Amino acid sequence: MLFQATKISLSKVVVIVSALSALLSPSAFSAEPDVESTESEIRLVSAGTGVTELVLALDAGNELVAIDSTSYVPEGLAHVAKLGYHRMLSAEGIIALSPTLVVGSDVMGPETTLNVLKQANIQVVQLPATNDEPQLMSNVDTLGQLLNRPDNAIKLKQDLHQQLQSLADKKQQISDAGAQPKILFMLLQEGRGARVGGKGTAADTIIALSGAQNIAEFDGYKSMSQEGILSLQPDIILLSKRSDKPAEQTNAHIAQELMKEMPLLAHTPAGKNGHIQTLAPQALLGGLGISAISAADTLASTLLKQNQ
């Protein structure tokens, strides 16, 4: 009996030693599998037009599992789920998608939703508003790190800097030509009258970037009568129509729609010369971003052609 007990004890010792050997082997401490797993398991929710544009520009669209209702993605990413408005996100809807990372603007919310996501061990990152080039570049760097695309971030920053430099050159040319063109921006929405964008609006920023003058002197958005707009005599009228489909209507169709609703605008310099053009809805969201820069550059190019 004593021998049998000793035999059993030795067997247990062998098992324990074998287990310890496995745990102490070099492969047990290798971090490579975990690193590869982390890099391949990004499941991204992007909330905010400007943020989503940067994600796509970083060639990280394949990481997306959902976007908010203000964001647009190419047809090749039609499978990506669409959530609600980025200020009113639902925690349940996001958690159901099993994301590892939620990135949005500084107004993403509500706070209760963000807290629930964090409690569910989902990484939540809010990027500061981009009102100038340094902050835009900083946000690109942050996303590049989060999405494991530092080289893409470097290239994107170079491209954005070149675009902003080109825009600054055009703005200087417009300034050298003399008087600033007078521009009026109008936001068209279903079920309510057109509203004019004044100081402090996204449209005002785009107009200033282009080198033109926003002739609406008030702050924010206000409704204006046809007579009031006629008295301002805008050289160019910019239009934007809120829609989930950015290419739903052509520039000509939207301009015709406006003229039917507000025929007196045909007597403005913009109406007489056919200088009515549209502004992509996404350019008005997310601060200084890819769409806003592109819209300002298009406007500046238009102004230069008119000065020739």
Side-chain angles (χ1 to χ4, degrees), residues 57-246:
L58 288 169
D59 195 25
N62 60 309
E63 312 286 9
L64 286 168
V65 295
I67 56 175
D68 77 304
S69 61
T70 70
S71 297
Y72 301 105
V73 291
E75 292 182 2
L77 295 175
H79 62 279
V80 173
K82 202 147 193 177
L83 305 173
Y85 187 50
H86 65 134
R87 292 175 182 259
M88 298 183 293
L89 297 173
S90 164
E92 292 78 8
I94 293 175
I95 292 174
L97 296 167
S98 302
T100 60
L101 175 63
V102 176
V103 182
S105 67
D106 57 351
V107 296
M108 175 177 66
E111 194 65 30
T112 52
T113 291
L114 303 186
N115 289 335
V116 171
L117 296 178
K118 293 173 185 176
Q119 291 169 6
N121 294 321
I122 297 170
Q123 186 178 9
V124 177
V125 178
Q126 289 180 273
L127 300 177
T130 51
N131 297 316
D132 53 34
E133 182 176 351
Q135 187 59 64
L136 176 60
M137 299 306 180
S138 176
N139 286 357
V140 172
D141 276 333
T142 299
L143 273 176
Q145 293 171 6
L146 290 170
L147 301 175
N148 300 320
R149 285 168 171 79
D151 293 339
N152 292 17
I154 292 173
K155 178 63 167 60
L156 178 57
K157 287 196 300 180
Q158 292 172 343
D159 292 344
L160 289 172
H161 178 73
Q162 289 176 0
Q163 291 174 34
L164 287 168
Q165 186 58 56
S166 174
L167 183 54
D169 292 341
K170 292 178 181 179
K171 181 176 180 179
Q172 186 60 52
Q173 293 177 48
I174 292 169
S175 176
D176 293 342
Q180 287 181 307
K182 296 183 297 182
I183 295 185
L184 183 82
F185 172 75
M186 301 179 68
L187 179 64
L188 309 179
Q189 292 177 283
E190 295 290 344
R192 57 191 303 181
R195 293 187 299 159
V196 174
K199 306 303 180 185
T201 63
D204 183 58
T205 299
I206 292 171
I207 292 170
L209 277 173
S210 74
Q213 173 193 0
N214 183 2
I215 56 175
E217 294 295 334
F218 50 79
D219 294 328
Y221 284 94
K222 287 186 179 181
S223 297
M224 287 188 69
S225 65
Q226 295 185 62
E227 292 79 8
I229 295 174
L230 179 61
S231 67
L232 294 175
Q233 291 290 290
D235 299 310
I236 295 177
I237 294 177
L238 283 180
L239 301 174
S240 186
K241 186 171 183 179
R242 290 278 174 85
S243 173
D244 290 334
K245 298 177 181 179

Side-chain angles (χ1 to χ4, degrees), residues 2 7 18-19 24 44 79 145 153 171 195 210 215 218 224 235 246 252 255 257 267 272 277 288:
L2 179 60
K7 186 178 180 181
S18 298
L24 294 172
L44 173 65
H79 62 279
Q145 293 171 6
K171 181 176 180 179
R195 293 187 299 159
S210 74
I215 56 175
F218 50 79
M224 287 188 69
D235 299 310
E257 184 179 285
H267 301 287
K272 293 175 181 177
Q277 62 187 69
L288 180 64

Side-chain angles (χ1 to χ4, degrees), residues 286-301:
L288 180 64
I290 293 174
S291 287
I293 294 171
S294 176
D297 187 73
T298 298
L299 180 56
S301 296

